Each structure stands twice: as structure tokens, then as C-alpha cells.
Amino acid sequence: MSLNVESLVESTLTAPRPLRLIDDTGRAAPPDEAGGLALPDPATLLSLYRRMVVARRFDVQVTALTRQGRLATYPSALGQEACEIAAVAALGTEDWLFPTYRDSIALLTRGVPPEQILASFRGDWHSGYDQNAHRIAAQATPLATQALHAVGLATASKLKRDSTVALTLLGDGATSEGDAHEAFNFAAVWQAPVVFLVQNNQFAISVPLDKQMRCRTIADKAIGYGMPGYFVDGNDVAAMYAVTSAAVENARGGHGPTLIEGLTYRMEAHTNSDDPSRYRDAGDLEVWRRRDPITRLDTYLGAVGALSDAERADIRAEAEDLAADTRECMTRSAPVDPLELFDHVYATPHPALVEQRAFLEAELAEHAAAASSTSGTAEAGGTR
């Protein structure tokens, strides 16, 4: 019997229009689409624009390096910049971010150096950055596990009566996992100061949203858990920033969690090993290119006189400098010490681990001595 059982009855539910402040053409959206949200001021929007342009250049550069074989793999966030940059911009320095493997540009925007972000994708470290210093958890590859971690930290924050908020980024596929259900439910029951931001890029690797769930939107699920839910145009950074900022402050004020769905699109493949032509229509890419988050904000800022050609050039120069730095750091060989395998397993290593470490250390010393001896013999032979 096949386990791939699909309903023959088509859903009659119609998804609502997502909240937005700037439409696809770069003009201010009408009030009925804004849902009471206010447009951020031009200075804030210009800052968001700069961060998106820089983040995209980084993403494109890393994708190129992956295709050159400099990295083992890389999940691109091209087209999803509005969700990730808005999320980071809405957080305070005391708050924590819980990202997925696709959220490298969020790490970059929060101040993690490229070399440390890419350490895991190159196979140097599982997490190459100081999580406490940046207040960013390790990028999670298992779907939705980081959502429970975020709820745990947020609950601890509430118990300690401090003002820390946890924000976790999720994909649409992650919301089909049991971990996501548990995180949503625990957060609502405990009124934890956490924000769940779902980047609905419409494909859980290769499975479209309509084969994952029957509800109108992911945001609709919030009502079942007893928390606010918002369905937002995920390519409108102004709306994403307004909604996420409000959710963060709502959590900080002791009013519990919020679920935000940003409707966006994954322009690149799932990773460099994926072939998206097997499961999605190339015509959809053209539709979503016309909804590009950077282009629409560029148009809006230009129209209101908040973005000049000189500022565009300055931002592009900053992005190119970052791309050059990223290329340079990926050409350097990372120092590798096999004994580091044992450094962070237990706070107090048990005897078996100590024995294994000593065995490896002796073996490495033996190989080093043999290599030195061989090198010395070769040099002596060359002087005859």
C-alpha cells in the first residue's frame, strides 16, 4: 500500500492578501493592505536597504565559491533578504537569534565575520563563531529543533525576569515537524517571550506547501495555539520590519509569543546539490523576480528622495569590499588540529575519552616523526 495518499478534494479556502507597506512596483501600499501598520521612516528604510544589498552580494559570492569547490555546500537565501534583515534589525543587542542553515545573511547582518559563518560549510567547525558573544545559537540543520531551544531560552528569560527576547527563523517545511508544534504550544502555554518567523519560500526542498498542509496560511495556525499570527509580504522589508518589531516588543512587554509568516520565494536551488527544475516551474522565477525585495525598496527610496546615485555607489562599494574579503578568507587554509575533537565533549573528560585522546596524540606524533625523517633523508640525498 502506498503511503503517498493525497486527497482528491481540492481545497476551497482562499488565502488572504498578505500585509504590506510597499507594493511590488515600489509605491506605498494603500491603507487596506497595510493592516494599520505604519511605514518606517526613510532613514530606517535606507539602513535596511544597505543591509539587504550587502547581504545579497555576500550570498552571491558564497554561492560562486561553492560552485568553485571552495565550500562543501551552501544553502542560498537569494530573494529572502527582506525576512532575514528585518528579523535582525528588529532585535536588541540583548536578544537571541536562533537561525537555520539557510540564514547566513542574518548572521552576517548581526555582525558575525564571513570566515566564522562559513567555517561549518567548509567543514572546519560545526559552529565557527562565539555564540554567547553574538547571542546567536548554532545554525540548525535538523528542521525545527532550534524552535524548542528558543522557547527554552525565552522561558528562562521570563523566569529570571530579564528583558531578553528569542527570535527563531523557520522554513515552511519546518512547520510540518513535530518539534515546531511542541515549540508553538509550549511558548503559548508558558507565554514565553519568543517570536517565530517563518520564511515561507514555498518549497520544503522539493515539496510545495499545498502538499504539506490544508490551511490557508501558516499564520492561521497561530489561532490554534492561542497566540497572534501575521501573514506578511515577505519581500516587503518595510512590512516585515514593522510586524517583527511589534512582535519583539510585545514579547518583551510580557505578552507572550507571536507567529509571523513571511511569504517569499527561494530563487536559488535548495543547495548546490539540488536540481529545482525537477519540481518547480521556471516561469515562477520570473514572477518572483518582479517582486524582488531590493528593487522595490530602491524604487520607493528613490521616489521619496532618500536614495541618491552617490549613496547607491557607496553601498555597492561596501558590498564589493565584503565580497573581496570573503574570497580572500576562503583562500586561506584553516588550521586543523585533530585533537580538538576531544576538547568540547564533556566538561570533565571520562577515562575512555582521555585514553582515546592519548592514543591519537601518540599516533600523530609518530606520523610527524616519520614525515620529518623522510624529509631529512630526501634533503641529504639531494646534496650529494
Side-chain angles (χ1 to χ4, degrees), residues 132-146:
N132 283 315
H134 294 286
R135 300 181 87 80
I136 303 174
Q139 288 182 269
T141 299
L143 296 186
T145 54
Q146 80 283 2

Side-chain angles (χ1 to χ4, degrees), residues 87-171:
V88 172
L91 292 175
T93 56
E94 72 275 26
D95 299 327
W96 272 79
L97 176 68
F98 288 78
T100 75
Y101 55 88
R102 194 176 299 282
D103 303 321
S104 295
I105 61 172
L107 274 64
L108 178 78
T109 305
R110 197 157 167 85
V112 182
E115 189 170 13
Q116 295 178 19
I117 295 171
L118 300 175
S120 59
F121 297 112
R122 194 161 68 161
D124 299 334
W125 276 85
H126 174 62
S127 179
Y129 53 91
D130 185 326
Q131 296 171 26
N132 283 315
H134 294 286
R135 300 181 87 80
I136 303 174
Q139 288 182 269
T141 299
L143 296 186
T145 54
Q146 80 283 2
L148 280 165
H149 303 160
V151 175
L153 184 139
T155 302
S157 168
K158 181 178 179 180
L159 293 173
K160 292 190 297 183
R161 291 183 169 83
D162 67 27
S163 60
T164 301
V165 172
L167 185 149
T168 182
L169 294 166
L170 299 147

